Amino acid sequence: MHRSVVVLLVFNVVVSTLIVLSSHHWFTVWFGLEMNTLSILPMLAYQYTPRSVESTVKYFLVQSFSAAIILNVALIQAWFYTSWSVYTPLNIFTSTVLTLALALKLGLFPCHYWFPDVIQGLGFLQGLILSTWQKVAPYILLGYIVSSLNGFVFVLVSVLSVVVGAWGGLNQTQFRKILAFSSISHIGWIGSVMFYSVSVSLVMFVVYIILNSGIFLLGHELGLSSLSSLGRLVYLNSTSGFCLILGVLSLGGLPPLMGFLTKFLALECLISNGVFIISGILVVGSLISLFFYLRIAFNSILILFPQHSLVMFVWRSVNFYEVNLSVVSILLGILLSISIFGLVCFPFLVSFI
């Protein structure tokens, strides 16, 4: 694919998100979502392998189905209330259907099955786009209509996403699938808090993008495919291994890293609203997901991986100490620095609430 075509597609993806951000009409919101989906498809199939094409087709079908549901909800709203405004109150039926449609776009339970399989079939950079930027437009739409949604259904879907994301990542050995289930769990945290405070959920969403971007870029730079590829990482490249350990622990929410501060803000918001049972379930789900984060950190410091000792010969052929100051490496350093020094950023985050 020519570089100018890639630039044009990236420009369309950004513009389509801005259309959803600035529009209050259901048709323009649907148009922005469809433009976003159609622009990202050639970028997902950039490598043009059978596995990437399969993941691209799956992503297209899922996003088209959810966008069709959103358009039908908009038609029902226009039929009953003669208004195309996003801020028009939703009834029980349209609220429930729209919640499931946005759950399908965001990869929330019970519509999360497509997300890990699609992420596994793509590269790290494409997976980074799906896990971060492609969730911005549905999140914006969710923020517009959160006051009109069925609170019980929305919070239930979000809380179960945290539990399912934590439980699903326990038995995974592929690095990208672990990050996919981690994304499901984090979006569940953000959705659970959004119903009670949009500002706190916005801070959590921004921090989630920063943490996830750092881990995906680090996986891309090191070529991490599975947990066995983490063997001898610290021994051959101590800086990258140390950054990976701190990054995944920050994603898991260990204090005093950045991920812990966002979950602390979320629990403070939920407890102040008297939601004690949901807070307990979220904490349990976070502790379950912390198990596979610790497994990544533990495998990263092994000199010899127990099941795949031959991986040491693969690492010998890679020059890890070569200094390459590219845009990706500079961005990676900035993102990992922010994710590690969480206490320094805490006053800055609280100022947005």
Side-chain angles (χ1 to χ4, degrees):
M1 188 183 299
H2 197 269
R3 183 175 300 177
S4 59
V5 178
V6 176
V7 173
L8 179 62
L9 292 174
V10 172
F11 178 75
N12 286 336
V13 170
V14 175
V15 169
S16 61
T17 306
L18 294 178
I19 289 175
V20 178
L21 176 63
S22 59
S23 60
H24 307 290
H25 192 279
W26 276 113
F27 182 78
T28 52
V29 168
W30 172 81
F31 173 77
L33 293 174
E34 283 295 288
M35 180 179 174
N36 183 272
T37 301
L38 294 177
S39 300
I40 201 67
L41 292 178
M43 299 172 62
L44 298 182
Y46 181 78
Q47 298 174 340
Y48 205 70
T49 60
R51 189 68 175 89
S52 64
V53 172
E54 177 188 351
S55 298
T56 303
V57 172
K58 290 179 180 178
Y59 180 76
F60 170 71
L61 294 176
V62 168
Q63 297 299 311
S64 300
F65 181 69
S66 60
I69 294 176
I70 293 174
L71 182 60
N72 279 278
V73 168
L75 292 174
I76 293 173
Q77 286 290 104
W79 184 19
F80 279 101
Y81 301 103
T82 64
S83 174
W84 285 85
S85 176
V86 176
Y87 298 108
T88 303
L90 302 170
N91 56 42
I92 297 177
F93 175 75
T94 55
S95 173
T96 305
V97 172
L98 191 58
T99 301
L100 295 177
L102 291 177
L104 191 61
K105 274 194 168 295
L106 291 169
L108 293 175
F109 178 86
C111 311
H112 66 285
Y113 295 100
W114 64 273
F115 190 67
D117 191 51
V118 170
I119 292 294
Q120 179 61 30
L122 301 173
F124 275 100
L125 295 181
Q126 290 88 346
L128 170 62
I129 297 174
L130 291 188
S131 300
T132 55
W133 185 262
Q134 290 302 103
K135 296 184 184 295
V136 173
Y139 175 81
I140 293 169
L141 180 58
L142 196 59
Y144 285 156
I145 63 174
V146 66
S147 59
S148 302
L149 292 178
N150 189 338
F152 175 77
V153 176
F154 180 64
V155 175
L156 180 64
V157 166
S158 300
V159 172
L160 290 178
S161 298
V162 175
V163 177
V164 170
W167 191 266
L170 288 178
N171 198 31
Q172 301 299 325
T173 58
Q174 299 297 317
F175 193 71
R176 287 193 292 271
K177 273 197 174 182
I178 293 177
L179 293 180
F181 281 106
S182 171
S183 177
I184 295 172
S185 180
H186 278 82
I187 295 298
W189 269 87
I190 295 169
S192 302
V193 178
M194 176 179 279
F195 188 75
Y196 301 97
S197 176
V198 178
S199 58
V200 174
S201 70
L202 179 60
V203 171
M204 295 182 66
F205 186 69
V206 173
V207 173
Y208 157 76
I209 290 177
I210 294 173
L211 298 178
N212 221 34
S213 300
I215 299 300
F216 267 96
L217 290 177
L218 191 59
H220 171 71
E221 288 292 300
L222 299 176
L224 303 177
S225 59
S226 62
L227 292 181
S228 61
S229 62
L230 298 174
R232 295 172 57 88
L233 179 58
V234 173
Y235 179 74
L236 293 176
N237 189 0
S238 57
T239 304
S240 299
F242 182 71
C243 290
L244 178 65
I245 292 172
L246 290 180
V248 296
L249 292 181
S250 178
L251 202 62
L254 277 183
L257 301 174
M258 190 74 160
F260 167 74
L261 299 178
T262 57
K263 293 183 178 180
F264 178 81
L265 291 176
L267 291 176
E268 193 275 334
C269 175
L270 293 174
I271 292 174
S272 62
N273 285 277
V275 190
F276 301 105
I277 298 178
I278 292 177
S279 301
I281 296 174
L282 292 179
V283 170
V284 171
S286 181
L287 291 175
I288 295 174
S289 63
L290 189 61
F291 176 81
F292 56 79
Y293 292 123
L294 290 174
R295 187 171 59 174
I296 294 175
F298 177 74
N299 289 337
S300 300
I301 61 176
L302 290 178
I303 295 179
L304 290 177
F305 196 76
Q307 296 178 359
H308 300 276
S309 59
L310 291 179
V311 77
M312 51 186 276
F313 299 106
V314 179
W315 290 112
R316 286 178 180 175
S317 63
V318 182
N319 187 9
F320 284 100
Y321 293 103
E322 182 181 357
V323 179
N324 185 16
L325 292 178
S326 61
V327 177
V328 175
S329 61
I330 295 174
L331 181 61
L332 178 59
I334 296 173
L335 294 174
L336 289 177
S337 299
I338 295 175
S339 65
I340 291 171
F341 299 107
L343 289 177
V344 179
C345 304
F346 185 70
F348 179 74
L349 291 176
V350 174
S351 64
F352 285 96
I353 301 177

Short mmCIF file of all heavy atoms in Angstrom, two decimals, residues 126-149:
data_model
loop_
_atom_site.label_atom_id
_atom_site.label_comp_id
_atom_site.label_asym_id
_atom_site.label_seq_id
_atom_site.Cartn_x
_atom_site.Cartn_y
_atom_site.Cartn_z
N GLN A 126 -1.94 -2.68 14.46
CA GLN A 126 -3.37 -2.74 14.17
C GLN A 126 -4.18 -3.03 15.43
O GLN A 126 -5.25 -2.47 15.64
CB GLN A 126 -3.64 -3.79 13.10
CG GLN A 126 -3.14 -3.44 11.72
CD GLN A 126 -1.71 -3.88 11.50
OE1 GLN A 126 -1.00 -4.22 12.43
NE2 GLN A 126 -1.28 -3.86 10.24
N GLY A 127 -3.66 -3.93 16.28
CA GLY A 127 -4.33 -4.20 17.55
C GLY A 127 -4.36 -2.99 18.45
O GLY A 127 -5.33 -2.77 19.19
N LEU A 128 -3.31 -2.19 18.41
CA LEU A 128 -3.28 -0.95 19.18
C LEU A 128 -4.38 0.00 18.73
O LEU A 128 -5.07 0.62 19.56
CB LEU A 128 -1.91 -0.29 19.03
CG LEU A 128 -1.77 1.14 19.58
CD1 LEU A 128 -2.00 1.16 21.08
CD2 LEU A 128 -0.38 1.69 19.24
N ILE A 129 -4.59 0.11 17.41
CA ILE A 129 -5.64 0.99 16.90
C ILE A 129 -7.02 0.50 17.32
O ILE A 129 -7.87 1.29 17.76
CB ILE A 129 -5.54 1.09 15.36
CG1 ILE A 129 -4.21 1.72 14.95
CG2 ILE A 129 -6.70 1.90 14.80
CD1 ILE A 129 -3.97 1.72 13.46
N LEU A 130 -7.25 -0.81 17.23
CA LEU A 130 -8.55 -1.35 17.62
C LEU A 130 -8.80 -1.21 19.12
O LEU A 130 -9.94 -0.99 19.54
CB LEU A 130 -8.66 -2.82 17.23
CG LEU A 130 -8.73 -3.15 15.74
CD1 LEU A 130 -9.02 -4.63 15.55
CD2 LEU A 130 -9.79 -2.33 15.05
N SER A 131 -7.76 -1.32 19.93
CA SER A 131 -7.93 -1.28 21.38
C SER A 131 -8.04 0.13 21.94
O SER A 131 -8.50 0.31 23.06
CB SER A 131 -6.77 -2.00 22.06
OG SER A 131 -6.71 -3.34 21.67
N THR A 132 -7.60 1.11 21.19
CA THR A 132 -7.58 2.49 21.71
C THR A 132 -8.43 3.42 20.85
O THR A 132 -9.53 3.80 21.25
CB THR A 132 -6.14 3.00 21.79
OG1 THR A 132 -5.50 2.87 20.50
CG2 THR A 132 -5.34 2.20 22.81
N TRP A 133 -7.95 3.76 19.68
CA TRP A 133 -8.62 4.81 18.90
C TRP A 133 -10.01 4.39 18.43
O TRP A 133 -10.93 5.21 18.41
CB TRP A 133 -7.76 5.18 17.69
CG TRP A 133 -8.34 6.33 16.92
CD1 TRP A 133 -9.11 6.27 15.80
CD2 TRP A 133 -8.25 7.71 17.26
NE1 TRP A 133 -9.49 7.52 15.40
CE2 TRP A 133 -8.98 8.43 16.28
CE3 TRP A 133 -7.63 8.41 18.29
CZ2 TRP A 133 -9.07 9.82 16.31
CZ3 TRP A 133 -7.72 9.79 18.32
CH2 TRP A 133 -8.45 10.48 17.34
N GLN A 134 -10.18 3.13 18.07
CA GLN A 134 -11.48 2.68 17.58
C GLN A 134 -12.54 2.64 18.68
O GLN A 134 -13.72 2.44 18.37
CB GLN A 134 -11.36 1.31 16.93
CG GLN A 134 -10.62 1.32 15.60
CD GLN A 134 -11.27 2.22 14.58
OE1 GLN A 134 -10.79 3.32 14.33
NE2 GLN A 134 -12.36 1.78 13.99
N LYS A 135 -12.15 2.79 19.90
CA LYS A 135 -13.11 2.85 21.00
C LYS A 135 -13.49 4.27 21.37
O LYS A 135 -14.37 4.48 22.22
CB LYS A 135 -12.54 2.13 22.23
CG LYS A 135 -12.31 0.65 22.02
CD LYS A 135 -11.83 -0.02 23.29
CE LYS A 135 -11.51 -1.49 23.03
NZ LYS A 135 -12.71 -2.27 22.66
N VAL A 136 -12.85 5.25 20.75
CA VAL A 136 -13.12 6.65 21.10
C VAL A 136 -14.51 7.07 20.66
O VAL A 136 -15.29 7.64 21.43
CB VAL A 136 -12.04 7.57 20.49
CG1 VAL A 136 -12.41 9.03 20.70
CG2 VAL A 136 -10.69 7.28 21.10
N ALA A 137 -14.87 6.77 19.40
CA ALA A 137 -16.18 7.18 18.88
C ALA A 137 -17.34 6.52 19.63
O ALA A 137 -18.29 7.20 20.03
CB ALA A 137 -16.26 6.89 17.38
N PRO A 138 -17.34 5.18 19.86
CA PRO A 138 -18.41 4.61 20.68
C PRO A 138 -18.45 5.15 22.10
O PRO A 138 -19.53 5.32 22.68
CB PRO A 138 -18.10 3.11 20.68
CG PRO A 138 -17.27 2.88 19.48
CD PRO A 138 -16.48 4.12 19.31
N TYR A 139 -17.28 5.46 22.67
CA TYR A 139 -17.25 6.02 24.01
C TYR A 139 -17.89 7.42 24.03
O TYR A 139 -18.62 7.77 24.97
CB TYR A 139 -15.80 6.10 24.50
CG TYR A 139 -15.66 6.79 25.84
CD1 TYR A 139 -15.91 6.10 27.02
CD2 TYR A 139 -15.29 8.12 25.92
CE1 TYR A 139 -15.78 6.73 28.24
CE2 TYR A 139 -15.16 8.76 27.14
CZ TYR A 139 -15.41 8.06 28.30
OH TYR A 139 -15.30 8.70 29.51
N ILE A 140 -17.63 8.21 23.00
CA ILE A 140 -18.24 9.54 22.91
C ILE A 140 -19.75 9.43 22.81
O ILE A 140 -20.51 10.14 23.50
CB ILE A 140 -17.66 10.30 21.71
CG1 ILE A 140 -16.18 10.61 21.93
CG2 ILE A 140 -18.43 11.59 21.47
CD1 ILE A 140 -15.47 11.13 20.70
N LEU A 141 -20.23 8.53 21.95
CA LEU A 141 -21.67 8.31 21.82
C LEU A 141 -22.27 7.82 23.13
O LEU A 141 -23.38 8.23 23.51
CB LEU A 141 -21.93 7.31 20.69
CG LEU A 141 -23.39 6.95 20.41
CD1 LEU A 141 -24.20 8.20 20.06
CD2 LEU A 141 -23.48 5.92 19.29
N LEU A 142 -21.55 6.97 23.83
CA LEU A 142 -22.02 6.48 25.13
C LEU A 142 -22.12 7.61 26.14
O LEU A 142 -23.05 7.66 26.95
CB LEU A 142 -21.07 5.40 25.63
CG LEU A 142 -21.54 4.50 26.77
CD1 LEU A 142 -22.80 3.76 26.36
CD2 LEU A 142 -20.44 3.51 27.13
N GLY A 143 -21.18 8.55 26.08
CA GLY A 143 -21.25 9.70 26.98
C GLY A 143 -22.43 10.61 26.69
O GLY A 143 -22.98 11.23 27.60
N TYR A 144 -22.84 10.69 25.41
CA TYR A 144 -24.00 11.51 25.05
C TYR A 144 -25.29 10.95 25.64
O TYR A 144 -26.16 11.71 26.09
CB TYR A 144 -24.14 11.59 23.53
CG TYR A 144 -23.14 12.50 22.85
CD1 TYR A 144 -22.79 12.32 21.51
CD2 TYR A 144 -22.53 13.53 23.54
CE1 TYR A 144 -21.88 13.14 20.88
CE2 TYR A 144 -21.61 14.37 22.92
CZ TYR A 144 -21.28 14.16 21.59
OH TYR A 144 -20.38 14.98 20.98
N ILE A 145 -25.45 9.64 25.63
CA ILE A 145 -26.74 9.03 25.94
C ILE A 145 -26.75 8.30 27.27
O ILE A 145 -27.73 7.61 27.59
CB ILE A 145 -27.14 8.04 24.82
CG1 ILE A 145 -26.12 6.89 24.76
CG2 ILE A 145 -27.24 8.74 23.48
CD1 ILE A 145 -26.50 5.80 23.81
N VAL A 146 -25.68 8.42 28.08
CA VAL A 146 -25.59 7.62 29.30
C VAL A 146 -26.70 7.95 30.28
O VAL A 146 -27.18 7.09 31.03
CB VAL A 146 -24.20 7.81 29.95
CG1 VAL A 146 -24.03 9.24 30.46
CG2 VAL A 146 -23.99 6.81 31.08
N SER A 147 -27.17 9.19 30.27
CA SER A 147 -28.25 9.57 31.20
C SER A 147 -29.60 8.98 30.80
O SER A 147 -30.50 8.89 31.62
CB SER A 147 -28.36 11.09 31.28
OG SER A 147 -28.63 11.64 30.00
N SER A 148 -29.73 8.56 29.53
CA SER A 148 -30.98 7.99 29.05
C SER A 148 -30.98 6.47 29.01
O SER A 148 -32.01 5.86 28.71
CB SER A 148 -31.29 8.51 27.63
OG SER A 148 -31.38 9.93 27.62
N LEU A 149 -29.84 5.85 29.29
CA LEU A 149 -29.75 4.40 29.22
C LEU A 149 -30.39 3.74 30.43
O LEU A 149 -30.56 4.36 31.49
CB LEU A 149 -28.28 3.96 29.11
CG LEU A 149 -27.55 4.31 27.83
CD1 LEU A 149 -26.10 3.85 27.91
CD2 LEU A 149 -28.22 3.68 26.62
#
